[in-house]
Amino acid sequence: MSERSERTISRSGDRPAAIGAIASARRPTLHFLREIRSFSPVFLDTDVDMGAVVRHREEVHKYSVVSYVLYAAARVLAAHPEANAALRGRVRPRVARYASVNGKFTLDRTMNGQRIVVSTVLPDLQRAGLPEIQERVDHFRDGDPAVMPEFAATRMLQRLPWPLGGALFRLGVRPLSRRAGVFGTFAVTSLGHRPVDGFYSVGGTTITLGLGRIADRPVVKDGGLAVAPMMRLSLTFDHRVIDGAEAADVLAAVKLALEQFTDPGEPTDRQEWDE
């Protein structure tokens, strides 16, 4: 079908409707959504006191909230290998548990005049420091996906006819040996730059973390009423891979890691986040 919209008259009143092919820039998103239809998502959420993160950001003025979550979640997933995994197959399901923790995060971009979401995977985050993670995040946030070599596959999927693009996408992402490199082992996605409190997404990984905005809210601390910068943190998990108790442990550990955040270079006597 031609990419040019076809003008069709609709008799719902006298207003015509523009009906045509979906924008080619959105094809990769549709291939992705088709691939993850086999997921069995379950949704959890919690409120996180981001006071420690906000204070650290005020001191250093260079780290994004997404980077803090990537940093904290990577260490939590390293301590929860059952959740740092992927499943494939219906008749004979197979599960892969990955040694590295690869974090996927999403970006809001415009390509070919179409506003879309693109994503990229940052490998081995369990060994990456916060400055290194922010450097990688900045590389993709400041770059142009229309020319960056890291998005060559996305651009190819945009150009290919729908059936061929879908077939190539499936070939590229379905082998469990490649899944961690293509989809990541966990995903982080944020709408915190808008007045959104709760954001629940399925990122194609066993664990997907959704970030809402940080807003001052009344909380009870030490028996008294106080105001704290709170953020809604959601966790979507694939019930085929893990159960609710494991997912709740992961969410609680990420919450604790953010609420007790200290500069990675500073000594700390706090307990491990996976307890």
Side-chain angles (χ1 to χ4, degrees), residues 28-43 87-90 162 166-167 169-170 173-174 179 183 202-205 237-240:
T29 297
L30 296 188
H31 293 317
F32 166 77
L33 292 174
R34 187 176 184 180
E35 178 62 24
I36 66 170
R37 285 185 302 179
S38 60
F39 272 52
S40 296
V42 179
F43 306 92
L87 184 145
R88 173 87 181 99
R90 295 182 180 180
W162 173 257
F169 186 86
R170 291 190 296 273
V173 304
R174 286 192 174 180
R179 195 88 175 198
F183 275 1
V202 179
T205 49
F237 70 94
D238 188 351
H239 207 338
R240 301 174 307 163

Side-chain angles (χ1 to χ4, degrees), residues 1-9 16-21:
M1 184 180 291
S2 170
E3 290 296 320
R4 185 179 302 169
S5 294
E6 299 171 359
R7 184 68 64 175
T8 302
I9 300 299
I19 302 175

Side-chain angles (χ1 to χ4, degrees), residues 89-102:
R90 295 182 180 180
V91 178
R92 296 181 59 193
R94 308 283 288 178
V95 64
R97 296 182 177 87
Y98 301 104
S100 63
V101 183
N102 300 346

Side-chain angles (χ1 to χ4, degrees), residues 37 61 72 76 106 147 162 223:
R37 285 185 302 179
H61 303 290
V76 170
T106 58
V147 297
W162 173 257

Side-chain angles (χ1 to χ4, degrees), residues 7-257:
R7 184 68 64 175
T8 302
I9 300 299
S10 171
R11 290 302 175 186
S12 55
D14 295 323
R15 298 179 181 178
I19 302 175
I22 189 167
S24 60
R26 289 197 53 78
R27 287 178 182 172
T29 297
L30 296 188
H31 293 317
F32 166 77
L33 292 174
R34 187 176 184 180
E35 178 62 24
I36 66 170
R37 285 185 302 179
S38 60
F39 272 52
S40 296
V42 179
F43 306 92
L44 309 176
D45 67 36
T46 189
D47 290 321
V48 180
D49 184 341
M50 296 291 283
V53 169
V54 169
R55 288 190 294 272
H56 189 259
R57 293 186 77 197
E58 290 174 347
E59 294 172 0
V60 298
H61 303 290
K62 59 183 178 181
Y63 299 130
S64 71
V65 174
V66 167
S67 296
Y68 287 96
V69 176
L70 286 167
Y71 176 86
R75 281 145 183 79
V76 170
L77 266 293
H80 290 264
E82 294 295 317
N84 195 56
L87 184 145
R88 173 87 181 99
R90 295 182 180 180
V91 178
R92 296 181 59 193
R94 308 283 288 178
V95 64
R97 296 182 177 87
Y98 301 104
S100 63
V101 183
N102 300 346
K104 180 175 78 170
F105 77 100
T106 58
L107 298 159
D108 176 28
R109 287 292 182 266
T110 299
M111 294 182 68
N112 302 324
Q114 178 73 37
R115 190 176 184 180
I116 61 171
V117 61
V118 296
S119 63
T120 189
V121 175
L122 308 182
D124 296 318
L125 288 186
Q126 78 280 6
R127 295 198 294 264
L130 189 57
E132 180 185 351
I133 293 175
Q134 186 62 50
E135 182 178 357
R136 298 195 216 174
V137 169
D138 287 342
H139 169 74
F140 289 101
R141 282 187 169 168
D142 297 340
D144 183 358
V147 297
M148 293 177 70
E150 294 92 341
F151 293 104
T154 297
R155 296 192 296 270
M156 180 183 68
L157 289 174
Q158 292 172 342
R159 294 192 303 268
L160 289 175
W162 173 257
L164 179 57
L168 289 178
F169 186 86
R170 291 190 296 273
L171 287 173
V173 304
R174 286 192 174 180
L176 286 175
S177 59
R178 298 192 57 195
R179 195 88 175 198
V182 178
F183 275 1
T185 62
F186 76 100
V188 174
T189 185
S190 173
L191 288 178
H193 60 293
R194 305 299 293 168
V196 173
D197 293 322
F199 180 33
Y200 305 82
S201 178
V202 179
T205 49
T206 295
I207 295 291
T208 300
L209 297 169
L211 315 184
R213 63 177 174 170
I214 298 176
D216 287 339
R217 302 187 189 280
V219 297
V220 176
K221 289 188 175 183
D222 301 322
L225 190 64
V227 175
M230 303 298 294
M231 180 184 76
R232 182 74 48 78
L233 176 66
S234 72
L235 184 151
T236 303
F237 70 94
D238 188 351
H239 207 338
R240 301 174 307 163
V241 184
I242 59 174
D243 294 325
E246 179 76 10
D249 287 347
V250 170
L251 182 60
V254 176
K255 170 184 169 73
L256 183 63

